[in-house]
Amino acid sequence: MFLVSQCLVAIATLLDLASFQFKSRKLILLCLFSSVLLTATHFFLLDKISASLLMLIAAVRYFYCIFNRSQWAMLGFMLLSTVAVILTWQGWLSGLALLATLIQTFASFQPRDMLLRLFMVFGTALWISHNLLVGSPMAVLMECLFLLSNLVGLWRFYFWSKEANRAD
């Protein structure tokens, strides 16, 4: 099952790499929706039930955020994630996954893609730590590449383009 879990997260990695290379908030979220479904299955196969449920909730959240950004829904997803972790507690790693999820939930509901990207940086750093401690090398690679893709997207859309505009 370990090998299958690593293959699933490898496919999720490709979706993550694509996600932040889009300027469209909707396309970013659609890629993330697909990626986290695969990642949820990956964690389930590794018997990390809290992380798996958090990813499943995240998939629903990303899909919801494509169409709506109600602050009440954000609080509902945060509450649902917290309850899921309480019910499936597997030690402090569950708490680390929850913190990462809460930050990324907040990010998902930001109206501007730049804010979404900036908060995702922090949540991703926590998922990298979680995945290192869980012992999933492909999940660590996936999150590192996700972080790198996000940072490249930030640079392309917000920093490089400003410098290019100044030169004109």
Side-chain angles (χ1 to χ4, degrees):
M1 288 301 182
F2 180 78
L3 188 55
V4 172
S5 76
Q6 300 306 290
C7 289
L8 289 174
V9 91
I11 297 166
T13 300
L14 297 175
L15 291 164
D16 278 351
L17 285 174
S19 68
F20 280 115
Q21 297 315 306
F22 295 111
K23 177 82 167 118
S24 164
R25 185 179 176 285
K26 288 183 179 182
L27 287 175
I28 292 169
L29 292 170
L30 188 58
C31 284
L32 293 176
F33 164 74
S34 303
S35 171
V36 296
L37 280 178
L38 294 171
T39 306
T41 306
H42 152 266
F43 281 125
F44 179 77
L45 292 173
L46 293 178
D47 198 35
K48 299 301 177 196
I49 305 306
S50 290
S52 180
L53 280 176
L54 288 172
M55 287 290 138
L56 190 58
I57 293 166
V60 173
R61 179 188 76 224
Y62 286 134
F63 190 77
Y64 172 84
C65 287
I66 291 170
F67 305 103
N68 201 341
R69 286 189 303 270
S70 162
Q71 295 301 303
W72 287 108
M74 179 185 74
L75 294 174
F77 280 112
M78 289 178 158
L79 180 62
L80 183 59
S81 296
T82 302
V83 169
V85 167
I86 289 169
L87 294 175
T88 62
W89 186 260
Q90 293 178 297
W92 68 275
L93 283 176
S94 294
L96 181 59
L98 176 61
L99 181 59
T101 294
L102 293 176
I103 291 170
Q104 289 184 332
T105 298
F106 183 77
S108 298
F109 284 85
Q110 297 310 301
R112 294 182 22 228
D113 72 290
M114 184 177 192
L115 288 175
L116 181 149
R117 292 168 188 274
L118 291 172
F119 282 106
M120 282 291 182
V121 166
F122 296 109
T124 302
L126 293 174
W127 274 114
I128 290 169
S129 301
H130 173 273
N131 296 341
L132 274 168
L133 295 167
V134 163
S136 178
M138 283 306 297
V140 171
L141 178 62
M142 176 188 70
E143 294 293 349
C144 286
L145 291 173
F146 180 69
L147 178 61
L148 181 61
S149 177
N150 186 1
L151 292 172
V152 167
L154 272 166
W155 178 259
R156 282 180 55 221
F157 295 123
Y158 294 100
F159 301 107
W160 184 74
S161 64
K162 286 182 183 179
E163 288 185 19
N165 289 338
R166 281 187 219 149
D168 291 338

